[in-house]
Amino acid sequence: ATLTEFTVQTIADTLLLDLNEMSTSSEHFQEPRIMEIFVSGGGSFNRELMRRLASTMKNKLKRVGQMRRVETEVLNSKTAAENKLPLISAEEKEAAAFAVLAWLTLKNKPGNLPQITGASKPVVLGEVNPGPKFFYISDS
């Protein structure tokens, strides 16, 4: 429960920062002031996380009078197509992200963004394990 709440609060606070930046453009805040949050990745299957995220965003946004209704929805092939979003589903996102990170590691390229993670510099993430070495002993 604590980790779920921490995740919800982190997402909500980040979304509120983004909203504050967008609020300078009136096109983002036309009536009826409804926000849809599309969530992808493994967390989108966590019903409690989705429920808490919608509730938390609604409460935070109502306090500042920006939104009347907040809904969360899992980003999947159907919702992506309906909203003209990139066609990558929640099921595919995590696998795709790890594939990109693996590729970066194999190419010896940094896989972090210091301006996002707070790291002091870009670094190659992880290492490639060559696996066990097998020795064959022949009787001949």
Side-chain angles (χ1 to χ4, degrees):
T2 301
L3 183 56
T4 298
E5 190 60 27
F6 174 76
T7 302
V8 165
Q9 294 300 325
T10 302
I11 293 169
D13 290 346
T14 302
L15 287 173
L16 288 172
L17 287 173
D18 290 344
L19 277 174
N20 288 335
E21 289 179 23
M22 288 190 321
S23 66
T24 57
S25 171
S26 61
E27 69 187 70
H28 292 289
F29 294 102
Q30 295 177 1
E31 290 299 328
R33 295 185 188 264
I34 297 170
M35 173 184 273
E36 291 178 296
I37 302 170
F38 291 94
V39 182
S40 65
S44 65
F45 298 108
N46 182 327
R47 288 186 180 134
E48 181 62 13
L49 180 116
M50 295 291 281
R51 186 189 69 72
R52 289 288 307 127
L53 181 59
S55 173
T56 299
M57 286 301 295
K58 183 177 182 178
N59 291 336
K60 287 186 178 206
L61 289 168
K62 270 189 169 179
R63 272 184 253 152
V64 294
Q66 289 180 308
M67 298 289 160
R68 286 190 299 180
R69 192 171 90 222
V70 178
E71 297 174 2
T72 58
E73 192 165 351
V74 176
L75 180 61
N76 55 35
S77 298
K78 180 177 180 252
T79 56
E82 288 171 354
N83 293 281
K84 297 181 175 80
L85 296 169
L87 295 176
I88 185 166
S89 70
E91 298 89 350
E92 299 162 331
K93 183 179 181 185
E94 189 171 8
F98 277 100
V100 169
L101 291 173
W103 181 85
L104 289 169
T105 299
L106 287 170
K107 297 294 184 183
N108 203 34
K109 295 180 180 286
N112 67 327
L113 297 170
Q115 64 272 30
I116 306 256
T117 64
S120 60
K121 63 182 180 183
V123 295
V124 176
L125 301 175
E127 64 181 55
V128 178
N129 183 342
K133 298 199 186 307
F134 294 98
F135 297 96
Y136 297 96
I137 300 172
S138 171
D139 289 340
S140 49

